[in-house]
Amino acid sequence: MFSFHSIEEYHRFLDANPDGCQVAVRHYLSRIEENKSLNAFLEVFAAEALERAKWLDEKRRSGGARGKLHGVVVALKDVLSYKHHRLSAGSRILENFTAIYDATVVEKLLAEEAILIGRNNCDEFAMGSTNENSAYGNVLNALDPSRVPGGSSGGSAVAVQAGLCMVSLGSDTGGSVRQPADFCGILGLKPSYGRISRYGLVAYASSFDQIGIFGTNTPDIALVLEVIAGADDYDSTAAAHPPPLPRPEELEAGKGHKFRIAFFKDALTHPSLDPVIAAQFETYFERLRADGHTVEGVDFEYLDYIVPTYYVLTTAEASSNLSRFDGVKYGYRTPDTGEDLTSFYKKTRSEGFGAEVKRRILLGTFVLSAGYYEAYFTKAQQVRKILVDRTSLLFNDFDIIILPTAPTTAFPIGEKKNDPIAMYLADIYTVYANLTGIPGISIPLFRHSNGMPFGVQAMTNRFKELSLLQFSHLMMQQYKSYENPTLCD
Ligand code: GLN
């Protein structure tokens, strides 16, 4: 019986098993089949994955050099372009669209010999926090199928949570990797803006979007990050010379480190925060202090501005990005072509987009409109700049900022579906990292009295993934009191 604990251990298993990649792929294919009701996959690349596993096994037998992700079984959020494969972004408007090129991250995964097992369900155009906005049905949380898995990368989170792949990629514009990781009891990293090329990622809000990684342990996350990060001629926002990423031995070295940690006082006393989570954070801070780290509450007067700022700026960017879906060049086209071009566009877009996407296009168009541009869009840009400046000052005195990842644990499906404001407000702790471009990770440390997991969100200064992953590694080894029962052998 195959079981997965880490890529390193899997690679040792492959040393001793000439058919190891095929064994792993068969294992995951049968687990995906058994867990179909979770709706985590929109498509499984079964035949192709098996064929690739066979090729990798043969390559190993013939003594060929191995890629860094040799045989690692990876799932992709359905917003990443994989040549000759469907790409729907969870939307009807792209239902029959086939990708014509590989995203840079896909190219890099393949070059290091990963096996891509399928594409994951997600909220339409990555807009949402529960996966209820997918045109292809909810994804269910494997720990409690009556609850949401989080979103928008819910399918990718559940794929790792339920042991349907080893690691997966998602995208995080305002928390879409960290929040579902939190709801599912796994690790979810959003790297610094500019760490990973966005080429081939379906754009939601381009100055916020970043590809992120789900996994079960820090070394796996660090390894995948090392593979997919880097400059790219096709994305000028991917940093040309970023500071280096951690090497495996550097993760261990972090264990002797005493971190200077800040938290926002208002965040921990915020009325939306579940009291059980708040109390656990108090205990956690005490333990960190007892272990020699410094933990200080700081005043951060902008907390209540970050969600409105995020929703003004991201909807503005989305309204522009999504204007390309017009039924002319590709994607869904209304059968009723009407009398003129304008009514053709209107019909195509009304029929092709779901309610949340329409809401955001309308909001974004409004905040960019001539009469309101200064009051909303310009103002929000100014707030973003203040946040960036304040954040870089904070990092003069601290290594890490800690916040909860989400104000509650995973909630029942349907609870917030018809209340967009409540849904947006729940992004209070995650959108900050996207507004400022800093990296953040959700670390699954605790279990709530309701049985569901919840994590700690750690953030560092921009491009300080080294210290972020060292901290994460330390937490996973010494502070984790939650064991995920769905990560079964
Ligand atoms: N929940 C946030 C939103 O709906 C985050 C989305 C994301 O990160 N893609 O905008």
Side-chain angles (χ1 to χ4, degrees):
M1 180 72 179
F2 179 80
S3 68
F4 175 78
H5 299 284
S6 70
I7 295 174
E8 195 191 355
E9 191 189 292
Y10 170 58
H11 279 169
R12 281 199 299 273
F13 162 84
L14 291 182
D15 289 337
N17 288 275
D19 292 330
C21 291
Q22 292 168 84
V23 170
V25 168
R26 273 193 225 103
H27 164 83
Y28 286 114
L29 290 176
S30 68
R31 286 207 44 89
I32 292 171
E33 187 57 36
E34 284 158 26
N35 289 282
K36 243 184 160 160
S37 62
L38 298 175
N39 202 19
F41 281 85
L42 292 177
E43 188 179 353
V44 183
F45 310 140
E48 207 178 300
L50 272 173
E51 202 173 305
R52 189 163 165 87
K54 193 164 165 234
W55 171 71
L56 290 169
D57 285 337
E58 276 160 16
K59 188 165 183 243
R60 226 172 36 258
R61 279 200 292 271
S62 62
R66 295 189 207 177
K68 287 182 185 157
L69 297 179
H70 183 90
V72 173
V73 178
V74 184
L76 298 176
K77 181 178 182 179
D78 193 25
V79 288
L80 290 164
S81 195
Y82 181 17
K83 194 172 177 175
H84 302 322
H85 294 75
R86 291 279 183 83
L87 172 62
S88 78
S91 181
R92 286 265 170 250
I93 211 159
L94 282 176
E95 190 165 14
N96 295 313
F97 179 72
T98 301
I100 54 171
Y101 63 90
D102 281 332
T104 300
V105 291
V106 168
E107 208 175 270
K108 289 182 176 224
L109 289 173
L110 292 173
E112 292 296 342
E113 302 184 339
I115 299 173
L116 304 182
I117 193 124
R119 57 186 175 99
N120 295 128
N121 200 351
C122 58
D123 282 305
E124 185 175 7
F125 286 101
M127 297 175 186
S129 308
T130 59
N131 242 283
E132 292 165 294
N133 298 336
S134 167
Y136 306 99
N138 293 355
V139 176
L140 312 183
N141 192 314
L143 285 164
D144 176 351
S146 71
R147 293 179 192 254
V148 301
S152 64
S153 316
S156 307
V158 170
V160 169
Q161 178 201 36
L164 315 180
C165 63
M166 295 175 185
V167 288
S168 64
L169 296 190
S171 64
D172 189 313
T173 304
S176 281
V177 168
R178 289 159 289 152
Q179 183 257 24
D182 185 56
F183 282 11
C184 291
I186 59 172
L187 281 163
L189 169 73
K190 178 202 90 76
S192 307
Y193 185 81
R195 184 59 95 171
I196 299 175
S197 166
R198 293 175 294 110
Y199 181 68
L201 166 69
V202 175
Y204 157 19
S206 310
S207 76
F208 293 73
D209 297 340
Q210 190 60 200
I211 292 165
I213 306 163
F214 293 99
T216 56
N217 62 81
T218 313
D220 285 3
I221 299 263
L223 179 63
V224 175
L225 178 63
E226 181 194 324
V227 168
I228 64 175
D232 186 4
D233 288 344
Y234 296 113
D235 176 7
S236 59
T237 66
H241 305 289
L245 289 166
R247 294 189 310 277
E249 63 279 12
E250 284 177 309
L251 288 183
E252 288 296 322
K255 282 192 189 161
H257 206 85
K258 300 297 174 206
F259 290 92
R260 295 171 304 161
I261 301 163
F263 67 90
F264 300 158
K265 285 190 218 154
D266 288 354
L268 270 293
T269 52
H270 202 270
S272 68
L273 182 62
D274 179 317
V276 176
I277 299 181
Q280 179 63 60
F281 267 75
E282 289 302 325
T283 316
Y284 169 61
F285 289 156
E286 282 315 312
R287 182 162 167 215
L288 284 167
R289 287 187 186 111
D291 289 346
H293 307 283
T294 48
V295 184
E296 243 178 78
V298 295
D299 292 319
F300 188 78
E301 47 289 331
Y302 310 112
L303 197 64
D304 286 330
Y305 296 98
I306 60 180
V307 169
T309 305
Y310 169 84
Y311 277 96
V312 168
L313 295 177
T314 54
T315 55
E317 292 189 26
S319 70
S320 158
N321 274 326
L322 271 61
S323 64
R324 73 191 72 180
F325 302 104
D326 56 11
V328 176
K329 297 179 278 295
Y330 49 80
Y332 173 80
R333 172 178 294 187
T334 181
D336 173 12
T337 46
E339 323 75 69
D340 57 33
L341 196 58
T342 308
S343 64
F344 164 77
Y345 286 156
K346 274 191 191 162
K347 282 203 181 88
T348 296
R349 288 165 67 82
S350 305
E351 293 161 16
F353 288 134
E356 181 61 26
V357 173
K358 286 180 197 160
R359 175 160 33 237
R360 295 195 191 197
I361 292 173
L362 289 171
L363 253 171
T365 309
F366 174 76
V367 300
L368 288 175
S369 62
Y372 296 98
Y373 188 94
E374 296 293 327
Y376 292 101
F377 186 74
T378 306
K379 186 59 83 189
Q381 291 286 32
Q382 288 164 343
V383 176
R384 189 177 197 184
K385 174 79 170 70
I386 291 173
L387 290 172
V388 169
D389 292 347
R390 174 84 176 97
T391 302
S392 69
L393 279 181
L394 263 175
F395 283 120
N396 288 337
D397 299 324
F398 298 97
D399 308 308
I400 306 261
I401 296 174
I402 283 184
L403 294 177
T405 307
T408 64
T409 57
F411 43 85
I413 293 170
E415 190 181 277
K416 294 195 172 69
K417 194 172 179 350
N418 299 319
D419 188 350
I421 300 287
M423 194 78 101
Y424 296 171
L425 287 174
D427 294 333
I428 181 163
Y429 300 123
T430 46
V431 296
Y432 169 64
N434 306 78
L435 279 160
T436 54
I438 62 175
I441 189 164
S442 183
I443 315 170
L445 299 186
F446 306 118
R447 185 174 187 271
H448 193 279
S449 49
N450 66 13
M452 298 306 286
F454 65 95
V456 162
Q457 184 190 193
M459 289 160 277
T460 54
N461 207 350
R462 200 148 168 226
F463 293 118
K464 295 274 195 233
E465 277 87 352
L466 168 61
S467 136
L468 186 66
L469 292 173
Q470 283 179 331
F471 182 76
S472 166
H473 194 50
L474 174 71
M475 293 301 110
M476 289 293 278
Q477 310 243 310
Q478 293 179 10
Y479 286 70
K480 192 171 186 300
S481 59
Y482 174 74
E483 286 311 323
N484 197 332
T486 56
L487 288 173
C488 50
D489 290 348

